[in-house]
């Protein structure tokens, strides 16, 4: 029976299993084969990394759109609505189109559930979303699609991509230990899984032990590797702006000074440089003429919800989905540098499997801060705030973030700032409150 409405289609997607015991790409390959391999005719850029993927995709999308291209983007998780994961030129897939595509794949999923019942059954939730994305981009004939990996790389359902225009690895840090391993070498091994024979690779600022793994894989696959401070260079520019970052960049035959982002945070300088390098790799392949004006416009236009995003000016309230230690480390650097004159009130909620004690300990090293630990209704267990506050007595506990917000607003001065951070699911919930 076909689905009549959006809610039914979304329930079908979310009702699928999230993970299988044995990681494999075989099921995804079979799924796409049964759908006529919609991915095979697409030109694709593949992006992985522990942090910075979303912002890098946002920069790349603007750079490509500035060339007059029809650009698909695939990202996760969503902050506002499920449909934002699949977009063309910043327009989410329409509800009715999503329903149509879910009805199209439903019999194929049922067939796979039946045929694979002896093993682990048919497609997972993420495999279904990936297939929907490839179908949509193929039907709408996008010029280029920028595809963000879900988790890792090697066994991620997006890794059916055979010949990307460029593969991008933004960062390698500790996250998803159960799936990717505890060492940076293990994690880098998963990320390097997206490197394909003869296809160029751009990496961000990656720790040496992880970079060695990527270098080895690139050499094995005859993939030209572009590394910061070797193949492209960027540094913080002298120009001071009230919000965002500014870099001077040179690399791949291109040079630009005073390149300004609207996205704030230490890591956004790096994300902009990585995205620009990946874009230039594609531009060289395509023999595009690239001008400074369109690059400036594109980098400044890029926005990404929930990444050091100001959702209120008076008082200043900033949201940042810093969901692991590496991201918290970047936040602390930004606060130390840009907000050291203000008192910063922090409300944080973290998923229990994300090293919450270490994350709160890191935040607690900041001066001029008052920290509230809180909880929310997460998709997985949330770190109990009292577990964190027992270890760090200076951290306050609030059973919900609204209560903490009321307490803070009553005591803060006009110059102070409120930072709401932690899980992206938590940040998404708070964002709805401020912007809807």
């Amino acid at each position: 029976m076909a689905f009549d409405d959006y809610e039914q289609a979304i329930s079908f997607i979310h009702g699928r299993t999230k993970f299988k015991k044995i990681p494999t790409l075989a099921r995804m390959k079979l799924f796409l084969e049964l759908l006529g391999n919609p991915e095979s005719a697409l030109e694709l850029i593949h992006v992985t990394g522990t942090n910075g993927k979303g912002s890098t995709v946002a920069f790349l999308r603007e750079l490509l759109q500035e060339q007059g291209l029809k650009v698909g983007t695939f990202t996760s998780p969503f902050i506002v609505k499920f449909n934002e994961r699949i977009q063309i030129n910043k327009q989410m897939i329409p509800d009715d189109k999503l329903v149509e595509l879910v009805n199209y794949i439903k019999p194929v999923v049922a067939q796979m559930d039946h045929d694979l019942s002896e093993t682990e059954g048919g497609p997972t939730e993420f495999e279904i979303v990936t297939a929907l994305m490839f179908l949509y981009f193929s039907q709408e004939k996008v010029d280029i699609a920028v595809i963000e990996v879900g988790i890792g790389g090697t066994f991620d359902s997006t890794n059916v991509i055979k010949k990307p225009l460029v593969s991008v690895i933004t960062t390698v840090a500790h996250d998803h230990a159960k799936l990717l391993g505890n060492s940076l070498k293990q994690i880098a091994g998963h990320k390097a899984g997206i490197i394909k024979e003869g296809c160029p690779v751009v990496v961000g600022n990656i720790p040496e032990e992880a970079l060695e793994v990527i270098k080895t894989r690139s050499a094995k696959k005859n993939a030209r590797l572009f590394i910061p401070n070797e193949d492209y260079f960027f540094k913080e520019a002298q120009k001071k702006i009230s919000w965002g970052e500014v870099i001077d960049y040179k690399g791949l035959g291109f040079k630009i000074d005073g390149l300004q982002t609207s996205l704030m945070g230490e890591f956004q300088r790096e994300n902009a440089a990585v995205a620009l390098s990946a874009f230039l790799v594609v531009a060289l392949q395509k023999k595009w003429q690239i001008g400074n004006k369109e690059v400036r416009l594109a980098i400044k236009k890029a926005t990404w919800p929930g990444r050091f995003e100001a959702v209120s000016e008076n008082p200043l309230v900033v949201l940042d989905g810093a969901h692991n230690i590496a991201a918290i480390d970047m936040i602390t650097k930004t606060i130390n540098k840009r907000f050291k004159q203000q008192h910063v009130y922090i409300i944080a909620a973290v998923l229990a499997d994300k090293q919450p004690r270490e994350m709160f300990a890191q935040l607690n090293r900041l001066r001029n801060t008052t920290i509230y630990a809180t909880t929310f209704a997460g998709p997985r267990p949330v770190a109990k705030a009292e577990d964190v506050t027992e270890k760090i007595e200076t951290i306050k506990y609030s059973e919900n973030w609204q209560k903490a917000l009321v307490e803070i607003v009553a005591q803060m001065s006009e110059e102070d700032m409120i930072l709401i951070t932690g899980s992206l699911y938590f940040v998404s919930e708070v964002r709805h409150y401020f912007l809807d």
Side-chain angles (χ1 to χ4, degrees):
M1 237 173 69
F3 296 122
D4 300 324
D5 61 28
Y6 176 77
E7 275 67 34
Q8 290 175 338
I10 290 291
S11 294
F12 170 73
I13 295 167
H14 290 330
R16 301 295 300 181
T17 50
K18 301 278 187 283
F19 298 104
K20 308 280 191 185
K21 285 185 184 135
I22 301 161
T24 176
L25 276 179
R27 186 176 47 251
M28 187 68 206
K29 284 176 180 169
L30 173 63
F31 190 16
L32 289 171
E33 206 175 294
L34 293 169
L35 293 169
N37 289 111
E39 80 292 354
S40 59
L42 294 168
E43 295 223 88
L44 303 163
I45 294 172
H46 207 185
V47 181
T48 190
T50 307
N51 295 315
K53 294 188 293 289
S55 302
T56 301
V57 168
F59 286 124
L60 270 165
R61 173 178 62 200
E62 296 295 349
L63 286 160
L64 292 163
Q65 275 188 232
E66 217 45 58
Q67 296 300 306
L69 299 172
K70 189 175 185 180
V71 183
T73 49
F74 182 57
T75 56
S76 58
F78 62 93
I79 296 285
V80 182
K81 184 180 180 179
F82 175 87
N83 305 41
E84 81 190 47
R85 297 174 73 165
I86 302 171
Q87 298 187 27
I88 296 175
N89 284 9
K90 292 192 279 193
Q91 297 301 307
M92 295 185 230
I93 181 171
D95 291 358
D96 57 352
K97 187 67 187 174
L98 190 69
V99 175
E100 180 196 311
L101 289 173
V102 169
N103 281 325
Y104 180 74
I105 67 157
K106 193 177 168 228
V108 177
V109 173
Q111 182 193 326
M112 289 181 71
D113 281 343
H114 174 269
D115 294 350
L116 303 176
S117 59
E118 297 297 310
T119 51
E120 285 199 271
T124 63
E125 178 182 354
F126 192 67
E127 285 166 350
I128 283 174
V129 182
T130 304
L132 292 169
M133 171 270 294
F134 282 135
L135 277 168
Y136 182 54
F137 290 165
S138 160
Q139 288 178 8
E140 295 296 319
K141 296 185 167 52
V142 299
D143 295 312
I144 289 181
V146 187
I147 310 296
E148 183 189 307
V149 163
I151 292 176
T154 304
F155 295 112
D156 188 78
S157 64
T158 63
N159 205 29
V160 292
I161 295 170
K162 289 194 176 86
K163 282 198 86 64
L165 294 166
V166 60
S167 302
V168 181
I169 305 173
T170 57
T171 53
V172 175
H174 293 283
D175 203 2
H176 300 294
K178 278 185 185 163
L179 296 166
L180 305 180
N182 290 309
S183 77
L184 287 181
K185 278 188 174 177
Q186 284 174 306
I187 297 164
H190 282 279
K191 309 283 185 208
I194 74 163
I195 297 171
K196 302 296 184 336
E197 184 66 40
C199 299
V201 187
V202 172
V203 298
N205 186 11
I206 289 176
E208 198 51 52
E209 59 184 296
L211 188 57
E212 284 309 313
V213 175
I214 293 165
K215 281 180 175 173
T216 303
R217 168 86 180 181
S218 298
K220 194 176 167 186
K221 291 285 177 185
N222 303 303
R224 170 80 203 273
L225 187 58
F226 295 87
I227 300 170
N229 300 320
E230 286 183 31
D231 303 287
Y232 70 93
F233 304 82
F234 68 97
K235 63 175 197 278
E236 187 177 6
Q238 293 307 304
K239 188 181 173 188
K240 292 282 173 275
I241 54 171
S242 60
W243 196 268
E245 302 295 333
V246 194
I247 61 167
D248 296 336
Y249 174 96
K250 69 171 184 198
L252 293 100
F254 188 79
K255 184 176 185 298
I256 190 163
D257 287 344
L259 188 59
Q260 195 171 321
T261 78
S262 299
L263 289 164
M264 173 84 124
E266 299 283 299
F267 43 89
Q268 297 302 358
R269 297 200 291 272
E270 190 178 308
N271 293 339
V274 168
L276 180 51
S277 302
F279 168 72
L280 291 169
V281 166
V282 175
L284 287 165
Q285 288 175 45
K286 300 282 186 192
K287 299 185 167 56
W288 294 335
Q289 292 298 310
I290 303 303
N292 281 18
K293 189 182 171 187
E294 63 249 40
V295 169
R296 282 190 198 286
L297 205 60
I299 294 295
K300 196 166 182 185
K301 254 195 228 170
T303 58
W304 195 242
R307 302 312 195 282
F308 223 88
E309 178 189 20
V311 288
S312 163
E313 283 185 22
N314 195 8
L316 177 59
V317 180
V318 171
L319 306 183
D320 193 285
H323 57 287
N324 52 39
I325 290 174
I328 290 286
D329 186 41
M330 284 298 190
I331 273 195
T332 57
K333 283 180 180 165
T334 301
I335 289 171
N336 277 330
K337 184 174 176 191
R338 300 290 284 267
F339 300 96
K340 59 175 183 257
Q341 307 304 329
Q342 289 111 304
H343 193 88
V344 180
Y345 292 88
I346 300 174
I347 305 173
V350 179
L351 293 172
D353 58 6
K354 292 280 190 164
Q355 298 175 288
R357 281 183 188 166
E358 292 86 339
M359 288 169 77
F360 275 98
Q362 184 89 320
L363 287 171
N364 201 48
R365 290 191 196 108
L366 283 164
R367 296 173 62 195
N368 304 336
T369 54
T370 305
I371 302 169
Y372 286 78
T374 189
T375 59
F376 71 106
R380 305 195 298 280
V382 175
K384 290 193 178 76
E386 53 268 32
D387 291 348
V388 175
T389 53
E390 265 174 30
K391 298 283 173 192
I392 312 168
E393 288 166 12
T394 51
I395 292 178
K396 298 170 186 285
Y397 168 57
S398 183
E399 67 247 23
N400 67 57
W401 63 267
Q402 290 97 330
K403 194 174 166 205
L405 190 63
V406 170
E407 268 185 46
I408 289 167
V409 170
Q411 60 184 299
M412 71 188 291
S413 75
E414 275 183 24
E415 291 79 40
D416 299 341
M417 173 174 114
I418 301 170
L419 171 67
I420 300 176
T421 189
S423 164
L424 276 165
Y425 298 101
F426 170 55
V427 165
S428 171
E429 184 184 304
V430 178
R431 194 174 187 273
H432 276 291
Y433 170 85
F434 275 96
L435 299 181
D436 290 351

